[in-house]
Amino acid sequence: DRPVRAHKGTFGRLLIVAGSLEYAGAALLTGLGAIRAGVGLACLATPEAVGVRLLGLVPELTSMLLVEEAPGLTAPAGWRRLVAEVPNYEALAIGPGLGRQPATLRRARNFIGELHRPAVVDADALIALAESDRWWHAVGGPLVLTPHPGEFARLSRLPAGERLSDDDDVRLEAAREASRRWGQ
């Protein structure tokens, strides 16, 4: 139930940093999921070439088109804009469909390190973190990490070829231990 006198500001503001030319749908699905979950205002921050393809597909989803240095590749100025805009949001979601270009992964990792707001980190943003040794030391704010088994193996630095057990009890204990170690 929602209060009768509620408005969109009552239910929070979420900044979604997602999407690339190859994975525009991931950004759109993240925004749609946020709206369906009940967030008051969801803003999709995505490269210009991605955003213009998505505008209006989900009318409730607002957008922040980020300056590009190449089609679908957010320029440093776009990442600086994100840092400046973060205080206007209560929480963030980062990673779905960002792409795995080295510049994107490096910039996403640096961006996450500067966050002091709660954030859900998923998909390519998890890959970005995993590329850095002891990545959790550079994290500034509270994160909810959502790795699938392969992403978990990367974040945990499991030896190549080693994978997480299929046993749910073993997976739960591994997640608890990782949560303690990473502080997330």
Side-chain angles (χ1 to χ4, degrees):
D1 290 339
R2 295 207 171 200
V4 173
R5 299 193 57 85
H7 55 83
K8 66 183 172 188
T10 306
F11 304 107
R13 296 170 54 90
L14 176 69
L15 180 62
I16 302 163
V17 182
S20 63
L21 289 175
E22 297 84 3
Y23 302 105
L28 192 61
L29 287 171
T30 304
L32 184 59
I35 290 166
R36 286 186 177 176
V39 72
L41 185 141
C43 179
L44 175 59
T46 196
E48 292 171 336
V50 177
V52 296
R53 294 176 181 185
L54 301 178
L55 289 175
L57 294 177
V58 177
E60 305 89 348
L61 187 61
T62 65
S63 62
M64 181 186 305
L65 301 182
L66 302 173
V67 177
E68 301 171 317
E69 61 186 0
L73 179 62
T74 300
W79 287 96
R80 286 191 299 274
R81 179 178 180 200
L82 285 171
V83 169
E85 293 286 344
V86 165
N88 298 319
Y89 297 87
E90 284 84 26
L92 289 88
I94 178 170
L98 274 180
R100 296 185 183 172
Q101 294 183 356
T104 297
L105 295 177
R106 184 180 65 255
R107 292 167 184 160
R109 187 171 46 253
N110 292 339
F111 177 71
I112 293 167
E114 294 181 35
L115 289 178
H116 296 285
R117 292 269 196 263
V120 174
V121 180
D122 187 41
D124 294 332
L126 292 170
I127 302 300
L129 290 179
E131 287 189 350
S132 177
D133 289 333
R134 300 168 56 92
W135 58 266
W136 56 94
H137 290 283
V139 171
L143 305 179
V144 174
L145 307 169
T146 61
H148 60 57
E151 292 164 340
F152 185 86
R154 284 184 187 158
L155 286 168
S156 300
R157 301 267 185 214
L158 293 179
E162 187 175 325
R163 50 186 294 250
L164 198 56
S165 170
D166 288 334
D167 181 315
D168 286 341
D169 292 332
V170 172
R171 285 183 175 194
L172 181 58
E173 186 50 40
R176 285 182 176 143
E177 171 54 31
S179 178
R180 283 190 291 273
R181 185 172 70 242
W182 301 334
Q184 303 295 334

